[in-house]
Amino acid sequence: ANLWWVRGRDRDLLIDSGNGVASLRANLPDLFERDPLLVLTHSHGDHMGGAHEFGDVWMHSAEVAKVETPKPGSLKGGWSLATDGSLEGTALAVLPPWLIDAVPYAGYDPAAYELKAATVTRELAEGDVIDLGDISFTVLHLPGHTPGSIALYDERAGTLYTGDIVYDGILLDTGEGSSIPDYLATMQRLHDLDVSMVHGGHKPSFDRDRLQKITGDYLAFRG
């Protein structure tokens, strides 16, 4: 998963926290000169696994319980999941045997991986503003992938951080808590949104033209 760091004048923002296999604080100490605000786009383990390292954690109210009392996690892959294709229709996502391709130290056992609980210090909702001093983000509640999926929108710069709501790859809309009707409404909203750059939870960033292609294909396929 992608993690995004925004250095503000008054405060730093970390968007998502990875799977927690390796300590962010221990391995990236230069980023932590100031204690950041962590905003979780949703509660899946590859985005919230490192949240326990942070004292100020914000996320949508619909998924707080899944972070504060997480289910046992797993790094095992090797399975296939029928999903919608955000590009040209139905596709099959085939995962590798393990969902990591490196270990944090010699002898690390990926089979022993487990998610650690974190404390959510603020519950977010549609329209909330996150102010870093010289940069501010508006919270957009965009369910479909999960009930509490959120994106952070810097309207002034036209920048959007989307987690797993949309990225340039196969979008998952059939998992636990997913809703295709909600996803259709979300994709229509994103299709019409005035953005210049999208930073997703996976894959490289992309521009508005690509966003409209991805959302348009999804609407045509699922709608």
Side-chain angles (χ1 to χ4, degrees):
N2 294 330
L3 316 183
W4 299 101
W5 184 280
V6 182
R7 187 173 291 277
R9 183 192 66 205
D10 299 336
R11 193 168 195 189
D12 297 342
L13 170 67
L14 178 62
I15 302 170
D16 288 337
S17 62
N19 57 25
V21 168
S23 167
L24 295 176
R25 289 187 181 276
N27 288 281
L28 300 170
D30 292 345
L31 289 180
F32 296 97
E33 299 167 358
R34 300 188 296 182
D35 199 39
L37 164 65
L38 172 63
V39 172
L40 300 176
T41 60
H42 63 299
S43 62
H44 286 165
D46 55 335
H47 295 263
M48 60 71 63
H52 62 92
E53 291 193 75
F54 299 93
D56 209 1
V57 181
W58 298 3
M59 71 180 307
H60 192 273
S61 57
E63 298 188 35
V64 169
K66 293 185 177 182
V67 170
E68 296 191 331
T69 55
K71 292 181 178 180
S74 175
L75 297 174
K76 289 184 178 180
W79 46 270
S80 302
L81 179 66
T83 71
D84 92 282
S86 62
L87 305 181
E88 277 81 32
T90 303
L92 195 66
V94 181
L95 299 177
W98 293 100
L99 302 181
I100 55 174
D101 58 12
V103 294
Y105 52 84
Y108 176 81
D109 179 10
Y113 170 78
E114 61 180 20
L115 290 170
K116 296 181 180 180
T119 299
V120 176
T121 54
R122 178 179 171 183
E123 297 183 4
L124 295 171
E126 169 75 25
D128 284 346
V129 174
I130 298 170
D131 187 2
L132 306 181
D134 55 344
I135 309 169
S136 64
F137 295 94
T138 300
V139 174
L140 306 182
H141 179 211
L142 299 170
H145 178 67
T146 65
S149 287
I150 59 171
L152 301 186
Y153 182 36
D154 177 359
E155 186 172 6
R156 184 179 65 177
T159 304
L160 185 69
Y161 295 86
T162 58
D164 282 359
I165 298 163
V166 65
Y167 50 86
D168 199 353
I170 297 171
L171 304 179
L172 305 182
D173 64 358
T174 58
E176 181 182 354
S178 297
S179 166
I180 291 172
D182 284 347
Y183 226 147
L184 284 166
T186 283
M187 288 300 190
Q188 186 62 63
R189 187 177 179 188
L190 288 171
H191 190 78
D192 299 335
L193 194 65
D194 183 14
V195 300
S196 58
M197 185 60 62
V198 178
H199 301 301
H202 300 273
K203 308 292 185 178
S205 302
F206 52 92
D207 61 14
R208 187 185 186 192
D209 288 344
R210 188 61 180 160
L211 175 64
Q212 291 190 316
K213 171 64 173 170
I214 294 169
T215 55
D217 283 351
Y218 184 94
L219 291 166
F221 175 63
R222 284 299 197 202

